Amino acid sequence: MLQRFIALFIVLVVIPVIFMDWVVSRNVAEITERQVGSTLVKWVESSHVTIDRTIMHMEETMNSIMMTKEIQEMLNIPLSSSYERFRRFTSLDEMLLKQTSPKIAYSFFMPDSESLYSFVPSLDIQTRGIYFSTNVDALPWYKEAYRAQGRGVLKVLHQFGDNPSDLETLVMVKQMNSITNGRSPEAGYLIASGLERVLASDLDPDNVAKDGELLILNEDNIVISTTSNYSIGKILPLPDYVSNSKGGYYTLEVDGKKWLYAIHQSEQSKTKLLYKTPLQSIIGDHEVIEQLVYYSMMGYFLLLLLLGVYFIRSIVRPISRLARHTRSYEPGKPLGLTQYPQRTKDEIEILNNNFMDMTERLNETIHDKYVLELKQKEAELSILHSQINPHLLYNTLESIYWRMTLEGTDESAEMVRDLSLVMRIGLSRGKSLITIEEELQHAEAYVRLQLKRYDYNFSVNWIIQEEAKSCLIPKVVLQPLIENAIVHGIKRMDSDGELWISIKLELDCIVIAIEDNGYRLRDVAHIYDILEGRNPDAGYGIRNVNKRIQLHFGELFGLEYALRAEGGLRAQLTIPISHTTEDLMREEEHV
């Protein structure tokens, strides 16, 4: 055991400690980078879903504005007078002003090739509102909005909307074609400016590390969100494999400094969400932790080594001695060892001495249990057998009384004679086992009584193998089976009833069968419920027989029931072959 303990200590302690130190020292930075990168990618992807939802909501809001009465009149209803042009302009301007919020301002552009709205201020004078231009296609956002065919386009514009001078702003441009003209140069364009302020509310600064930055880029890697180090409209240079990536994390070196980039690209809004943070801020502290882990493991190894020495001296040796005592002990036999003098209060030493005391008490318990089981078995057999005699006596006396009341002939004397034979064999001078030949005399006397009781309305066939007559069997086991066959099988069949009683040897067993051709279909499952005690209120006789057989010979033997193919029921009793009580004892030991 000592050798096994040393081997186990090396395998489970020494080698794992050395291996863990090697893994930590070589792979801690890589593992941390991979784990943090994967986490950042999932976080960026989740945040991008929120941004896409905001952009989609903005586009739906612009669709609702473009379907208003004021814009539809401007696009689709022909003009009739200067007053009507001024009314439409004023109505549309008021509507756009109501839609404007502290974050978003709305503007409307419409081509005016005939200069019908020359009274409206130009883009040079006002930074938001309604504009009419004779040259809309020269505006910086026109081509992209025209190609988008009604889809919202994100664009960075200079000095537009409610922004101060020289400040870039993020806008969404949507083209709306005239219902009458289709997609024509006369289409209107709705612009929502200040969108960077809306997106900024979706970028929670509490979720961003101290040195990290969260950026929103368009397809051209232009920054469309404001951060501490990047302004809107600035181009962020990225390698092609990062810029074209649908999502992932990358380690890049910029100006001699390593950065960790986590990026996700949205096909829906055509934007990219990028989070960048210095790599050193992630893995820098791990170098200190690596040293701490190294020294901790070495201290842990030394502590385990000291504990192992103590364990060997105070536990393994006493346990080895106790194991020798355990191997030398056989239940029922003296241990043959003396107790060690108890010099200390050590638990192992106390366990060793208590084990020896326990073996002595166990030997005494085994002997007492063996004697008690023998007495209990004899008592059960005696009780079971004593219970069946009154049952048989009452049934037989009833038959005699019934017969004498009807006839008063000499046959009554024969019935009394058969009754005396039944009683004599049933008592058997206190013996619990008799020969099959004696049991047959008992059964034949009972059958004769029943034949006379029922006016010989049924016939009986005896098929007995001579070699089986000298074998031993518990007394009064055939009578209850024959009684059941008569009462529940052929009693009401007049002269058609037939009974077969067979005894034969099969291998090392004696097979006894009681068969009838009863006209009623018997429920075999119900009979097995009686045999196994699930229905204690019925079938006392057959349950008594089965229990006595198993008490004598073991659980492998007993009573079985089955339906006959020709009609009726078959009760089969199986017992081992035994000619003397010594044979029976050997059989019980074998079982």
Side-chain angles (χ1 to χ4, degrees):
M1 185 174 179
L2 181 59
Q3 295 175 350
R4 293 179 181 175
F5 173 78
I6 295 175
L8 193 65
F9 182 80
I10 294 174
V11 172
L12 297 182
V13 178
V14 177
I15 295 178
V17 168
I18 297 175
F19 177 76
M20 288 172 61
D21 177 68
W22 178 80
V23 170
V24 170
S25 62
R26 290 180 58 89
N27 300 319
V28 64
E30 180 182 347
I31 294 173
T32 304
E33 178 184 336
R34 183 168 60 250
Q35 292 177 344
V36 173
S38 300
T39 303
L40 288 176
V41 169
K42 293 180 181 179
W43 174 66
V44 168
E45 182 178 353
S46 175
S47 300
H48 208 176
V49 172
T50 304
I51 293 172
D52 282 351
R53 191 180 296 116
T54 300
I55 294 174
M56 183 183 300
H57 177 71
M58 176 57 63
E59 190 167 355
E60 291 175 354
T61 302
M62 294 179 68
N63 288 337
S64 300
I65 294 175
M66 296 183 75
M67 295 302 295
T68 58
K69 172 185 175 182
E70 291 80 2
I71 290 183
Q72 292 300 317
E73 284 183 349
M74 188 69 72
L75 291 175
N76 300 308
I77 300 177
L79 297 172
S80 57
S81 64
S82 298
Y83 171 77
E84 181 64 20
R85 290 195 297 274
F86 181 77
R87 185 194 67 80
R88 291 185 185 182
F89 166 77
T90 305
S91 177
L92 179 58
D93 186 62
E94 291 177 354
M95 186 272 293
L96 292 179
L97 185 62
K98 291 180 181 179
Q99 296 293 335
T100 299
S101 67
K103 293 182 180 180
I104 299 296
Y106 293 96
S107 300
F108 182 76
F109 283 78
M110 186 173 176
D112 186 16
S113 58
E114 299 178 4
S115 299
L116 298 177
Y117 291 91
S118 58
F119 60 87
V120 178
S122 65
L123 186 61
D124 297 333
I125 300 176
Q126 62 177 2
T127 57
R128 69 173 181 85
I130 306 173
Y131 304 95
F132 294 90
S133 174
T134 57
N135 191 18
V136 175
D137 54 356
L139 297 174
W141 44 261
Y142 171 77
K143 293 182 179 180
E144 294 181 44
Y146 184 80
R147 287 195 299 266
Q149 300 181 13
R151 181 174 58 84
V153 175
L154 295 176
K155 189 74 175 177
V156 176
L157 297 182
H158 180 66
Q159 287 185 323
F160 189 84
D162 286 337
N163 295 288
S165 301
D166 300 327
L167 185 65
E168 307 293 337
T169 184
L170 178 65
V171 304
M172 177 178 285
V173 184
K174 284 183 65 67
Q175 179 193 53
M176 184 174 183
N177 300 321
S178 170
I179 296 177
T180 58
N181 298 331
R183 193 164 74 89
S184 70
E186 299 301 322
Y189 297 87
L190 183 65
I191 299 179
S193 60
L195 192 58
E196 72 279 359
R197 293 191 289 268
V198 177
L199 296 181
S201 62
D202 293 333
L203 303 179
D204 189 356
D206 295 334
N207 292 331
V208 180
K210 179 181 178 180
D211 298 328
E213 287 188 287
L214 190 61
L215 305 172
I216 306 176
L217 311 175
N218 65 6
E219 294 179 296
D220 300 324
N221 295 333
I222 297 176
V223 179
I224 59 176
S225 62
T226 303
T227 66
S228 58
N229 295 323
Y230 292 89
S231 59
I232 294 179
K234 186 175 181 179
I235 298 177
L236 181 67
L238 291 174
D240 291 341
Y241 67 92
V242 177
S243 178
N244 299 328
S245 172
K246 300 298 182 182
Y249 69 92
Y250 306 92
T251 302
L252 301 178
E253 185 171 348
V254 180
D255 298 332
K257 187 176 181 181
K258 289 187 177 181
W259 293 81
L260 180 66
Y261 285 71
I263 188 170
H264 179 262
Q265 187 170 169
S266 172
E267 294 293 336
Q268 181 178 356
S269 62
K270 304 300 182 182
T271 60
K272 303 170 187 176
L273 185 62
L274 181 141
Y275 178 77
K276 56 176 294 188
T277 183
L279 188 61
Q280 187 65 24
S281 65
I282 297 175
I283 65 174
D285 295 337
H286 287 80
E287 296 177 356
V288 178
I289 296 176
E290 179 183 345
Q291 295 295 325
L292 178 62
V293 170
Y294 173 77
Y295 290 116
S296 298
M297 285 186 175
M298 294 303 298
Y300 174 70
F301 173 75
L302 293 176
L303 177 61
L304 288 178
L305 186 61
L306 294 175
L307 290 176
V309 174
Y310 171 78
F311 182 81
I312 293 173
R313 292 178 58 85
S314 61
I315 299 178
V316 174
R317 289 179 181 175
I319 288 179
S320 299
R321 185 170 59 200
L322 183 59
R324 291 196 300 270
H325 292 178
T326 305
R327 286 194 296 268
S328 64
Y329 173 67
E330 294 183 14
K333 295 183 180 181
L335 188 60
L337 296 173
T338 58
Q339 290 188 353
Y340 289 92
Q342 186 169 325
R343 297 180 296 270
T344 65
K345 295 183 179 180
D346 184 81
E347 289 81 0
I348 301 298
E349 194 71 39
I350 295 173
L351 179 62
N352 179 81
N353 293 333
N354 289 342
F355 171 75
M356 298 180 66
D357 293 336
M358 181 193 65
T359 57
E360 294 179 2
R361 292 194 298 270
L362 182 60
N363 288 341
E364 295 175 0
T365 303
I366 291 174
H367 181 267
D368 294 341
K369 184 176 182 296
Y370 177 73
V371 174
L372 182 61
E373 286 181 348
L374 288 178
K375 292 181 180 180
Q376 182 180 358
K377 190 172 183 180
E378 292 174 357
E380 288 184 5
L381 289 171
S382 177
I383 291 172
L384 288 172
H385 180 67
S386 64
Q387 290 176 346
I388 200 168
N389 283 331
H391 177 72
L392 172 62
L393 178 60
Y394 296 150
N395 288 342
T396 306
L397 288 177
E398 181 187 358
S399 300
I400 295 175
Y401 171 77
W402 177 84
R403 187 66 182 179
M404 291 179 67
T405 301
L406 292 180
E407 294 184 359
T409 63
D410 293 339
E411 290 186 0
S412 298
E414 294 179 5
M415 295 178 70
V416 173
R417 183 192 62 189
D418 288 335
L419 175 59
S420 64
L421 177 60
V422 169
M423 295 300 297
R424 183 172 65 254
I425 296 176
L427 293 173
S428 300
R429 295 182 297 278
K431 296 189 295 182
S432 61
L433 293 175
I434 61 175
T435 64
I436 290 180
E437 185 174 9
E438 291 175 308
E439 178 67 12
L440 283 173
Q441 293 176 8
H442 178 275
E444 290 170 354
Y446 175 77
V447 169
R448 287 195 297 271
L449 287 171
Q450 296 304 314
L451 284 170
K452 292 169 183 176
R453 175 181 179 181
Y454 295 108
D455 287 330
Y456 300 93
N457 280 343
F458 61 88
S459 60
V460 183
N461 302 294
W462 299 86
I463 308 171
I464 310 300
Q465 189 172 341
E466 287 295 329
E467 292 80 2
K469 289 184 177 181
S470 60
C471 297
L472 295 180
I473 189 173
K475 59 185 177 182
V476 195
V477 295
L478 296 183
Q479 179 270 328
L481 304 182
I482 296 173
E483 179 182 3
N484 277 355
I486 294 173
V487 174
H488 300 292
I490 60 177
K491 180 176 70 172
R492 301 182 184 276
M493 294 180 64
D494 296 331
S495 60
D496 294 331
E498 193 167 0
L499 192 64
W500 292 270
I501 302 172
S502 64
I503 302 177
K504 58 183 178 179
L505 302 179
E506 290 186 1
L507 300 177
D508 295 332
C509 297
I510 301 172
V511 179
I512 303 171
I514 311 298
E515 303 181 58
D516 64 76
N517 63 341
Y519 66 95
R520 292 190 305 170
L521 183 63
R522 305 289 296 279
D523 188 353
V524 177
H526 176 68
I527 296 175
Y528 276 103
D529 287 340
I530 295 173
L531 289 178
E532 296 172 5
R534 291 191 292 270
N535 187 5
D537 298 329
Y540 169 78
I542 61 173
R543 189 167 64 251
N544 184 290
V545 169
N546 189 60
K547 184 66 175 176
R548 287 196 294 132
I549 291 295
Q550 292 182 347
L551 284 174
H552 274 292
F553 305 115
E555 298 290 335
L556 297 179
F557 303 97
L559 189 57
E560 295 179 352
Y561 278 87
L563 297 175
R564 298 177 70 246
E566 303 84 355
L569 189 69
R570 171 188 175 91
Q572 179 175 302
L573 192 61
T574 304
I575 61 175
I577 297 175
S578 55
H579 296 279
T580 63
T581 55
E582 288 77 8
D583 294 339
L584 180 59
M585 292 178 64
R586 285 194 295 271
E587 180 66 28
E588 289 179 346
E589 291 178 357
H590 175 70
V591 173

